[in-house]
Amino acid sequence: MLDRGLDARSFFTVFNGVRQGSVLSPVIFNVFINIFITQLRQLNIGCHLRSMFIGCLMYADDMILICPSVRGLQNMLDTCISIGDSISLQFNASKSHCLAVGRLSRLVIEPMTLGSAQIAWTTSIKYLGITLMGGKSLAFDSSCVKQSFFAACNSIYAHAKNLEEVVHLKLQESYCLPILSYAAAAVKYTTRQEDELNASWNSVYKRIFGFNRWESVRAFITGLGRLDLHHIFMLRRLNFYLCLKYRVTIFYGRAYV
């Protein structure tokens, strides 16, 4: 509370952040953190999609800066440091990485600077549970997905030996299938990667219902009224595209469909 003798516009010190789990916390955090996107957009650098600025992507406190030039990227990093100093927010350079994508990605690039610290260039980064790989074109690593998937499957296998097959399958669909299909609408795997993920999911049917490894379970999956992983991916992408098509986003006073 402010003393009666102080002006209502006087500054006061806040010792605690937003309350974790509170309904208002996301709104207050968005108001606080929006200054980064606003000022980075005003630089008029970074990547744009038509007139939409996509040079700064944020999910909570995880930020991605996208820029077509190294000099522009350094300018954006310097701006982030300046904004962080003004609002008493610090960046962790040890958890920050740079990834190059494009024809010139193999060139030796000097490390970027984040304040007094340096950010090294790497061949892959993990963002929101997805491993992005640099190079001539943007790619995604599926090996980590398969590793997490089989770890979850084996955990259920160890505790579901006495369950009926359909019940066991339902557990695998509830807890393991989401690992394979995570971000399937946004991630573009290669044909080989998608085939390997589909084979991983088919191995669940083979193990539960006693098929041999060389036997096909495509018809069996259809007979159970299920979809294989290829069609699950297609359905996820279709739903995602339909949501984009029929959702109108107001941006800069203009409507994009």
Side-chain angles (χ1 to χ4, degrees), residues 160-194:
K161 296 180 180 180
N162 299 324
L163 293 179
E164 294 183 358
E165 289 85 352
V166 177
V167 177
H168 188 174
L169 177 61
K170 188 63 178 180
L171 290 174
Q172 297 285 355
E173 290 174 333
S174 300
Y175 296 100
C176 301
L177 179 58
I179 298 177
L180 288 181
S181 59
Y182 174 69
V187 175
K188 186 178 181 181
Y189 291 117
T190 63
T191 303
R192 181 177 179 180
Q193 287 177 320
E194 192 168 315

Side-chain angles (χ1 to χ4, degrees), residues 10 77 86 162 233:
S10 300
L77 290 172
S86 65
N162 299 324
F233 279 5

Side-chain angles (χ1 to χ4, degrees), residues 134-147:
K136 192 173 181 180
S137 60
L138 182 64
F140 303 91
D141 185 13
S142 60
S143 59
C144 298
V145 176
K146 290 189 294 183
Q147 183 178 359

Side-chain angles (χ1 to χ4, degrees), residues 216-256:
S216 174
V217 292
R218 182 182 302 176
F220 182 77
I221 293 175
T222 304
L224 289 177
R226 264 81 170 177
L227 298 175
D228 62 10
L229 198 64
H230 288 301
H231 289 87
I232 292 175
F233 279 5
M234 292 174 59
L235 185 61
R236 296 286 180 88
R237 291 164 185 159
L238 180 60
N239 290 334
F240 179 70
Y241 295 150
L242 289 176
C243 290
L244 289 180
K245 181 178 180 180
Y246 295 107
R247 178 180 177 182
V248 177
T249 302
I250 306 300
F251 193 80
Y252 286 138
R254 299 175 60 183
Y256 296 91

Side-chain angles (χ1 to χ4, degrees), residues 30-248:
N30 288 338
V31 173
F32 175 78
I33 211 70
N34 187 60
I35 186 175
F36 284 99
I37 299 178
T38 301
Q39 294 199 18
L40 287 172
R41 182 194 301 148
Q42 293 175 355
L43 292 177
N44 199 27
I45 57 177
C47 290
H48 291 75
L49 182 61
R50 294 185 178 179
S51 60
M52 182 183 298
F53 175 69
I54 59 172
C56 177
L57 305 178
M58 296 193 67
Y59 184 87
D61 58 346
D62 292 325
M63 177 188 297
I64 285 186
L65 300 180
I66 310 175
C67 190
S69 67
V70 175
R71 182 178 298 179
L73 180 59
Q74 185 60 62
N75 194 355
M76 297 175 74
L77 290 172
D78 294 339
T79 302
C80 288
I81 288 295
S82 177
I83 299 172
D85 292 340
S86 65
I87 60 177
S88 301
L89 186 66
Q90 295 182 349
F91 288 89
N92 191 344
S94 63
K95 294 184 178 180
S96 302
H97 306 279
C98 293
L99 184 71
V101 179
R103 293 179 299 175
L104 304 179
S105 59
R106 295 184 178 180
L107 296 179
V108 178
I109 308 175
E110 293 295 327
M112 311 299 289
T113 59
L114 186 63
S116 59
Q118 289 187 339
I119 307 179
W121 292 86
T122 183
T123 57
S124 64
I125 59 174
K126 193 170 185 178
Y127 182 70
L128 301 181
I130 300 174
T131 303
L132 295 84
M133 303 178 64
K136 192 173 181 180
S137 60
L138 182 64
F140 303 91
D141 185 13
S142 60
S143 59
C144 298
V145 176
K146 290 189 294 183
Q147 183 178 359
S148 300
F149 168 74
F150 283 117
C153 287
N154 292 331
S155 178
I156 293 179
Y157 286 138
H159 298 85
K161 296 180 180 180
N162 299 324
L163 293 179
E164 294 183 358
E165 289 85 352
V166 177
V167 177
H168 188 174
L169 177 61
K170 188 63 178 180
L171 290 174
Q172 297 285 355
E173 290 174 333
S174 300
Y175 296 100
C176 301
L177 179 58
I179 298 177
L180 288 181
S181 59
Y182 174 69
V187 175
K188 186 178 181 181
Y189 291 117
T190 63
T191 303
R192 181 177 179 180
Q193 287 177 320
E194 192 168 315
D195 289 340
E196 291 177 350
L197 295 177
N198 184 67
S200 300
W201 180 236
N202 289 346
S203 67
V204 172
Y205 286 91
K206 294 178 182 180
R207 185 169 181 179
I208 294 177
F209 295 96
F211 285 86
N212 295 315
R213 293 185 177 181
W214 60 85
E215 291 182 286
S216 174
V217 292
R218 182 182 302 176
F220 182 77
I221 293 175
T222 304
L224 289 177
R226 264 81 170 177
L227 298 175
D228 62 10
L229 198 64
H230 288 301
H231 289 87
I232 292 175
F233 279 5
M234 292 174 59
L235 185 61
R236 296 286 180 88
R237 291 164 185 159
L238 180 60
N239 290 334
F240 179 70
Y241 295 150
L242 289 176
C243 290
L244 289 180
K245 181 178 180 180
Y246 295 107
R247 178 180 177 182
V248 177

